[in-house]
């Protein structure tokens, strides 16, 4: 097989093991570590003393304790409170499935009954008879149900907790056992409240009233700081169930956390991540116990036993995370779709199947190399183990991603969205600050109002008008100032045009602007930047300057100076203010000022102090002329990412009307990663609104057919995004010339140029399915709002993200001054997009 890394002595000094062992566990909160603080401290102490054998023995004992631990939790409460339903939900079992706890409207539980978890038999949930049904005093009741066998108690009620529940809680407290109050059926309460009070219903207010009533009732009965959780057995992801699970995990002994985490259903991505972290620790402890080296594995050879162990590990992880064959069948039955559709959007079912002419060993070596490239896990602690453990982590990560895909699919089906519901629409726009939204708050409110009333056509009509306004919005900004201030250079920098480029504003050391001149943005013709003659020029005296330059046509004014702002500039600002237009002062050439200051005062030069002096001088000068709170920005036309240019762009965007945000954002040069992200967010909102206009559904597209027409449309959209973000062919050529590197070298460093190229023997539809898996794993955007639409919109989101990432790569390299390092492109590159 050859060597993956160079071979070196296979030992680690015990002094080095302590920081490496502790550094790994420092990645986790103490409440999430699967070994106790006492065990952890003991292992560290033994390693410090060089007693490796005893440390390994302690680890083996801890792992054995985790494997063999028993977890028993007791659920009690009155008849009809939903105990059995709660138990089935905890076990991930449907009410009609085999071994489900029987549910009904009458009391079904007269004796304590144990229900084993279907995948974890060492986890038992005990359904206890209601204390009222036994006619026993609380203390006698506890003895009868053998309270010593349980790790904790959950007391369930569907209304207020009764006196007998509270007496039971007090009795449990005397036994030093933990107990928790669960108020069920809050979904029914909310539904009833909304029906009875449709105009004044407030969901959060009702939940708060239920919670406060429970707590007040418990405190009256001398139960201090009661832990009350509001839940719905029909939807565990809502209300307090996730918080309750966090609380139970923290309260359990360390050795029981591992099994309890895995027994819980996957209701949120955080649950899946928590399971992954727990299993990662288990793998790491096993690896540490098996033997540690300071160096990487040498020659790679996989025996039959090792391959079988990996297959067993993969099967185990799929069961742990609910992506095994049985779970997929259950989910397919529940969602009424073919099981094969799920297998197509997840990776683990075929993870250990080899490609043509590839042995299992070669495939595993490929995985191993991929793991080493991306680091993480044990590598993050600079420890190296047997190759099997690295591959177990790779398998674990793959299964974790699969679980997230299935969770997202299940969530959508359980929460079917419709355009008649305003919740998804409102939820999506809450992800953005007001100044970054491309439609106004009035427009958002109007769309929501139509959706609340079920007026889909009205909502679509408003969206149509809003998008048309965005598409057709003109943006005119005026730049003025004295001769030599750098106006034309500033205009060229804003447009991303070099001084010698076609259609550049002419620059020079003498006055070149004698009349107002519009310069269209090369990529956005609706954006015009007007170069105005300096006020005070022979033909433009202050008294009639604004009328002559037709001030009403501009959205705002930028007054430029390379020194102090003159009286003419300040008089102009006052006149603009009277006309109710916005204006901003820009102090240019600060890079020259800094350079001159450093040359003249090389020993005492202080960059920040000089900038502060320039700023204070400008502000003082302006305030002396009765202009309150002047907005002054220090910039260099030669380097827009420095000084105040990014802050100025933020300010301008906040002051613009919403329909002009989108256009202005996209027209700005990529001077920071934040600017690129802002463009991405603006374009993503546009895609989302366009998708809503086109129609959404609750059905995820699991089988994709991309027609030739759609493929041509996608290619045009990709080309458009490349232009918007400056990663198109002309932009790459210009950048390559600037950096002095071949354009092909730039293309090798980014992904979008080959994004729509398929792999061998792969159709465009199959390629898209690979992309869709990635979208499902990462969520966000349309999916984050629980909406599905035509497949072309997902492709737009994918292309947008890819191009935005490319823009960041080019930005980083441009400003770092480093040479590009071409990346070898493989088929898996697309999967990491």
């Amino acid at each position: 097989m050859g060597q993956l890394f160079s071979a070196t002595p296979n030992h680690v000094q015990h002094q080095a093991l302590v920081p490496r062992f502790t550094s790994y566990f420092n990645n986790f909160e103490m409440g999430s570590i699967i070994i106790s603080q006492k065990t952890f401290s003991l292992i560290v102490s033994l390693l410090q003393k060089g007693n490796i054998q005893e440390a390994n023995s302690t680890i083996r004992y801890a792992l054995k304790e985790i494997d063999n631990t028993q977890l028993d939790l007791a659920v009690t409460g009155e008849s009809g409170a939903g105990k059995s339903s709660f138990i089935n939900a905890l076990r991930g079992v449907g009410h009609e499935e085999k071994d489900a706890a029987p549910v009904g409207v009458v009391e079904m539980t007269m004796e304590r009954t144990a229900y084993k978890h279907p995948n974890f038999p060492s986890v038992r949930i005990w359904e206890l008879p209601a204390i009222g049904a036994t006619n026993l005093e609380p203390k006698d009741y506890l003895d009868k149900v053998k309270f010593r066998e349980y790790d904790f108690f959950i007391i369930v009620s569907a209304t207020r907790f009764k006196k007998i529940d509270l007496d039971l809680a007090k009795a449990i407290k005397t036994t030093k056992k933990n107990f928790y109050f669960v108020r069920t059926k809050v979904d029914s309460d909310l539904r009833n409240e909304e029906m009875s009070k449709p105009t004044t219903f407030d969901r959060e207010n009702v939940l708060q009233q239920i919670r406060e009533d429970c707590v007040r009732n418990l405190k009256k009965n001398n139960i201090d700081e009661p832990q009350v959780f509001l839940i719905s057995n029909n939807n565990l992801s809502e209300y307090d169930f996730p918080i309750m699970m966090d609380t139970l995990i923290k309260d359990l002994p360390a050795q029981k956390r591992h099994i309890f985490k895995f027994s819980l259903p996957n209701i949120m991505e955080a649950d899946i991540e928590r399971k992954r972290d727990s299993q990662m620790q288990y793998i790491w402890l096993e690896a540490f116990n098996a033997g540690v080296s300071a160096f990487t594995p040498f020659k790679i050879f996989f025996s039959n036993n090792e391959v079988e162990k990996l297959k067993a590990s993969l099967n185990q992880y799929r069961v742990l995370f609910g992506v095994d064959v049985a779970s997929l069948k259950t989910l397919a039955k529940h969602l009424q779709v073919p099981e094969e559709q799920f297998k197509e959007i997840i990776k683990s079912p075929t993870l250990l199947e080899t490609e043509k002419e590839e042995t299992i060993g070669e495939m595993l070596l490929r995985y191993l190399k991929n793991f080493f490239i991306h680091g993480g896990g044990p590598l993050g602690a600079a420890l190296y183990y047997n190759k099997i453990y690295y591959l177990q982590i790779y398998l674990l990560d793959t299964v974790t991603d699969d679980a997230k895909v299935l969770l997202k699919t299940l969530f959508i089906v359980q929460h079917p969205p419709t355009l008649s519901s305003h919740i998804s629409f409102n939820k999506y726009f809450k992800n953005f600050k007001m100044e970054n939204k491309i439609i106004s708050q009035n427009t958002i409110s109007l769309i929501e109002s139509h959706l609340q009333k079920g007026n889909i056509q009205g909502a679509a009509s408003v969206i149509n008008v809003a998008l048309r306004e965005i598409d057709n919005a003109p943006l005119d900004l005026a730049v003025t100032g004295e001769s030599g201030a750098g106006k034309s250079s500033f205009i060229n920098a804003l447009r991303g045009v070099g001084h010698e480029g076609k259609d550049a504003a002419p620059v020079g050391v003498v006055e070149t602007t004698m009349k107002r001149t519009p310069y269209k943005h090369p990529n956005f013709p609706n954006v015009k930047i007007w170069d105005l003659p300096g006020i005070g020029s022979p033909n433009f005296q202050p008294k009639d300057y604004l009328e002559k330059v037709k001030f009403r046509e501009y959205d705002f004014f930028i007054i430029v100076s390379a020194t102090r702002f003159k009286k003419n500039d300040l008089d102009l600002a006052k006149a603009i203010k009277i006309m109710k237009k916005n204006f901003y002062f820009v102090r240019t050439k600060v890079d020259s000022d800094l350079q001159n200051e450093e040359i003249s005062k090389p020993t005492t030069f202080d960059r920040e102090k000089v900038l502060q002096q320039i700023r204070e001088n400008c502000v003082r000068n302006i305030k002396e002329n009765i202009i309150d709170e002047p907005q002054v920005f220090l910039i260099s036309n030669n380097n827009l990412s420095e000084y105040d240019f990014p802050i100025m762009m933020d300010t301008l965007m906040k002051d613009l009307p919403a329909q002009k945000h989108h256009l202005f954002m996209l027209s700005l040069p990529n001077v920071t990663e934040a600017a690129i992200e802002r463009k991405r967010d603006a374009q993503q909102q546009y895609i989302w609104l366009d998708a809503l206009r086109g129609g959404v559904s609750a059905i995820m597209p699991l089988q994709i057919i991309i027609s030739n027409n759609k493929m041509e449309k996608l290619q045009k959209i990709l080309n458009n995004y490349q232009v918007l973000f400056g990663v198109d062919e002309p932009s790459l050529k210009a950048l390559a010339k600037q950096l002095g590197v071949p354009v092909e070298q730039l293309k090798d460093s980014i992904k979008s140029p080959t994004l729509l190229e398929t792999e061998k023997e792969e159709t465009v539809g199959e390629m898209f399915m690979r992309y869709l898996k990635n979208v499902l794993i990462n969520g966000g955007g349309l999916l984050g709002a629980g909406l599905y639409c035509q497949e072309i919109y997902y492709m737009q989101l994918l292309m947008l993200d890819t191009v935005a990432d490319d823009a960041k790569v080019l930005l980083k390299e441009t400003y770092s001054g480093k040479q590009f390092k071409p990346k070898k492109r493989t088929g898996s590159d697309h999967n990491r997009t």
Side-chain angles (χ1 to χ4, degrees), residues 701-717:
L702 293 179
Q703 290 182 326
I704 307 302
I705 299 173
I706 305 287
S707 66
N708 289 335
N709 286 342
K710 282 184 179 176
M711 196 62 201
E712 288 176 11
K713 183 177 180 181
L714 286 172
Q715 188 63 61
K716 282 184 180 178
I717 292 168

Side-chain angles (χ1 to χ4, degrees), residues 672-685:
T672 62
E673 282 203 4
I676 294 169
E677 278 298 313
R678 194 161 48 205
K679 285 186 183 184
R680 175 190 168 278
D681 288 346
Q683 192 62 27
Q684 193 185 72
Q685 291 174 61

